Amino acid sequence: MEILSYTFFQRAVAGGILLSLVFSLFSFFVVVRKLSFAGVGISHTAFGGIAIGILLGIDPSISALIFSVLIAIFIAYTSQKRKLHEDAAIGIFFSFSMALGIAIISKFHRTNVDIWSFLFGNITTITKGDLLFFAVVTGIVLVYFIFFFGDLILIGFDPEVAQSYGVNVEIHNYVFMALLGAVIIMGIKMVGVILISAFLVLPSTIASAFSKSFIRIILLSIFVSMFFTIFGLFLSYYLDLPSGATIVMTGTLLFGLTYLKKS
Amino acid sequence: MSEVAIEIKNVTVRRNGRTVLENVNLKIGRNQIFAICGPNGGGKTTLLRTIIGIVDFDGDVRIFQKTPREAVKQGLVSYLPQRSPMDYTFPATVYEVVMMGRLKKMGVLKIPRKDDRRKVMESLKLVDMIDFKTKPFSELSGGQQQRVLIARALASEAKILLLDEPITGLDIHAQQVFYRLLVELKERTDITIVMVTHDIGVMPSFVDAVACLNKQLYYHGMPGTELNIDLLKKVYGTDIGILIHDHGNP
Ligand SMILES: Nc1ncnc2c1ncn2[C@@H]1O[C@H](COP(=O)(O)OP(=O)(O)OP(=O)(O)O)[C@@H](O)[C@H]1O
Ligand SMILES: [Mg+2]
């Protein structure tokens, strides 16, 4: 396995492990709270944020981070206040951001920016700085899930009951969505804007084929997502295929197999 | 009435400019079974939500002299919302659902202790669902789900249970068992039970007091003699004829 001696691959594996850990935790709550469309929305919105960064000449990851966290909070706001149906709000913002991104990029195209890698990810571009960012986000997310596990479970099961236990559901929704915005940016580095929703949906969906206990589903989904991420990474190297796409296809294949076996 | 568990003073609730509850005054005694009846949209659910402090209101609500927020924080109250069973798709076993009632009592890491496990098993036994403890909650029938949710409320060891139409979906046998359970709980512990119900027929048999709500409080007192057709007519409006008729049907 000489591949393990390449720095870029070591970084990709390290990044992949952090990514799968974080996304599998989110995956459970995103799936039970039916937020996968919100995930799709946030990731595509990030594209607008990336373009703004290119326009302003700042690091696109930073502008995308700010942009998508803001949009995530805004999505939480619309669903909270019920001014507009959440789905509709997401649909509008998502295509607007893509449109904005395309407009900016075609007008001010800078050849040194690789749009392709934002759309589909590129593990060879992961820097030490990125890994540090991943580690910080992972740390925050872990603390959040450990401290508020009970609250999150209650909200997922029944928000009204959660409220009756003194859980502040509104603040939780904002924090959850803001963190989701941040982790999606982390995922975009690895698999890109288009493919990231697979990471949000697959781990928990695959795991729930094996159990109806939320504890088991959450634990199992961590394994599931680590497995298809790392396996997909190796496969992409040996088959000489793009890493993001290979990881997503591996995960989807796993999903297909579990559900085939189940039915 | 010896000690007051819940005291509601001059409570008015408005939603979108409409008055939903108007100047409601109510005292619910400790260790009582208290029934709330009234027509659809009469504000019964709103009253329960007011008691746990999740709707804005004018006036004053006290739960053992504490504000709703304090009472909820201290785990004094357990609330079973009105629901259609199909609303639940969350993947959890029956055991896990009942354990949710203990979450607020656990430490930061939410690892159940012996105490928690014992209480969960006890509560499951009380509602006769112990055989289902490893079954997925979402695959139970509506009535079975309801029993599990009642067990969750019991497991929380709250001093006050607020049950919003708890017998919805229970078959006649399960209803009987449930009512017996309430009476038993009341006699064995010093729990206070507030229950919203449309089941006017059974009310007098074991309920200590009743309130009829249709925006305002129409009646508040002991069930039985005074809970007559005239009163019901006042609370429910002209629909009462149909209501009684419906009741007679199997
Ligand atoms: N979230 C809300 N926003 C606006 N109005 C509301 C809201 N919840 C309830 N209402 C209004 O408050 C009134 C009382 O509703 P509530 O749910 O308390 O009635 P209820 O007595 O529980 O009725 P039911 O027997 O149908 O359960 C209704 O007219 C309803 O339209
Ligand atoms: Mg109601």
Side-chain angles (χ1 to χ4, degrees), chain B residues 15-16 18 20 38-46 82 164-165 198:
Chain B
R15 302 251 33 184
N16 303 331
R18 258 188 52 232
V20 175
N40 294 135
K44 305 179 295 297
T45 299
T46 306
Q82 175 180 19
D164 199 345
E165 298 189 27
H198 292 296

Side-chain angles (χ1 to χ4, degrees), chain A residues 28 32 34 146-147 149-151 153-154 156-158 160-161 163-167 212-215 217, chain B residues 49 52 54 72 79 81 83 88-93 96-97 100-101 103-104 108-109 136-137 139 152:
Chain A
F28 177 77
V32 295
K34 305 183 177 64
I146 289 171
F147 259 87
F149 182 72
D151 291 2
I153 288 294
L154 286 171
F157 185 73
D158 185 342
E160 207 173 333
V161 166
Q163 276 186 307
S164 79
Y165 282 102
V167 177
K212 281 281 155 53
S213 144
F214 62 81
I215 294 282
I217 294 176
Chain B
R49 292 168 57 101
I52 55 167
I54 61 176
V72 157
Y79 170 55
R83 264 297 150 100
Y88 297 98
T89 52
F90 190 92
T93 63
E96 284 176 330
V97 170
M100 284 180 203
L103 277 173
K104 283 277 137 179
V108 173
L109 292 182
F137 178 76
E139 290 171 17
R152 184 194 58 196

Side-chain angles (χ1 to χ4, degrees), chain B residues 24-245:
Chain B
V24 174
N25 286 283
L26 195 60
K27 275 185 191 165
I28 298 173
R30 180 177 190 154
N31 203 206
Q32 283 198 334
I33 298 180
F34 193 98
I36 298 173
C37 67
N40 294 135
K44 305 179 295 297
T45 299
T46 306
L47 186 67
L48 294 193
R49 292 168 57 101
T50 307
I51 294 172
I52 55 167
I54 61 176
V55 277
D56 296 329
F57 60 92
D58 294 329
D60 195 29
V61 175
R62 294 281 148 174
I63 298 157
F64 292 119
Q65 269 95 53
K66 296 181 180 72
T67 63
R69 219 167 270 262
E70 289 165 350
V72 157
K73 267 230 171 75
Q74 295 174 13
L76 292 178
V77 193
S78 184
Y79 170 55
L80 177 63
Q82 175 180 19
R83 264 297 150 100
S84 66
M86 291 301 110
D87 291 349
Y88 297 98
T89 52
F90 190 92
T93 63
V94 165
Y95 185 84
E96 284 176 330
V97 170
V98 181
M99 192 58 91
M100 284 180 203
R102 305 288 303 172
L103 277 173
K104 283 277 137 179
K105 286 202 156 51
M106 294 179 200
V108 173
L109 292 182
K110 305 295 172 206
I111 297 167
R113 282 171 301 230
K114 210 169 163 186
D115 238 25
D116 301 311
R117 290 193 293 265
R118 201 203 57 218
K119 194 72 205 164
V120 167
M121 294 304 276
E122 251 174 51
S123 310
L124 277 171
K125 256 180 224 142
L126 279 174
V127 298
D128 200 19
M129 286 296 287
I130 198 93
D131 296 340
F132 291 82
K133 72 179 169 52
T134 57
K135 292 268 176 322
F137 178 76
S138 57
E139 290 171 17
L140 300 182
S141 78
Q144 290 170 332
Q145 286 186 343
Q146 194 68 348
R147 288 202 237 169
V148 174
L149 294 177
I150 291 160
R152 184 194 58 196
L154 296 178
S156 70
E157 288 184 295
K159 299 229 170 297
I160 297 173
L161 295 186
L162 303 176
L163 310 170
D164 199 345
E165 298 189 27
I167 59 162
T168 308
L170 298 189
D171 63 39
I172 294 173
H173 173 70
Q175 286 183 18
Q176 295 295 315
V177 172
F178 175 64
Y179 287 142
R180 227 175 291 137
L181 172 65
L182 293 189
V183 174
E184 206 182 301
L185 273 173
K186 181 199 140 170
E187 277 162 9
R188 280 199 352 214
T189 66
D190 93 314
I191 204 162
T192 306
I193 298 165
V194 182
M195 175 176 65
V196 171
T197 180
H198 292 296
D199 194 0
I200 302 172
V202 299
M203 235 185 244
S205 59
F206 68 93
V207 162
D208 296 300
V210 59
C212 291
L213 206 58
N214 189 3
K215 193 160 98 173
Q216 295 168 331
L217 194 69
Y218 274 85
Y219 173 83
H220 173 204
M222 306 295 283
T225 49
E226 283 176 83
L227 190 62
N228 55 30
I229 301 288
D230 276 350
L231 174 84
L232 290 174
K233 208 176 242 162
K234 235 165 70 191
V235 180
Y236 284 90
T238 47
D239 284 348
I240 190 66
I242 301 163
L243 195 108
I244 288 169
H245 179 76

Side-chain angles (χ1 to χ4, degrees), chain A residues 59-111:
Chain A
D59 184 347
S61 324
I62 292 172
S63 57
L65 178 66
I66 296 170
F67 202 60
S68 68
V69 169
L70 287 180
I71 289 298
I73 291 173
F74 184 75
I75 292 172
Y77 174 80
T78 47
S79 75
Q80 205 95 252
K81 300 296 170 204
R82 303 196 176 281
K83 292 238 187 294
L84 187 61
H85 202 286
E86 193 178 33
D87 273 5
I90 295 167
I92 292 166
F93 264 88
F94 146 28
S95 32
F96 167 72
S97 297
M98 288 298 273
L100 182 72
I102 296 295
I104 290 175
I105 284 163
S106 54
K107 193 86 183 159
F108 306 93
H109 188 56
R110 310 250 162 101
T111 42

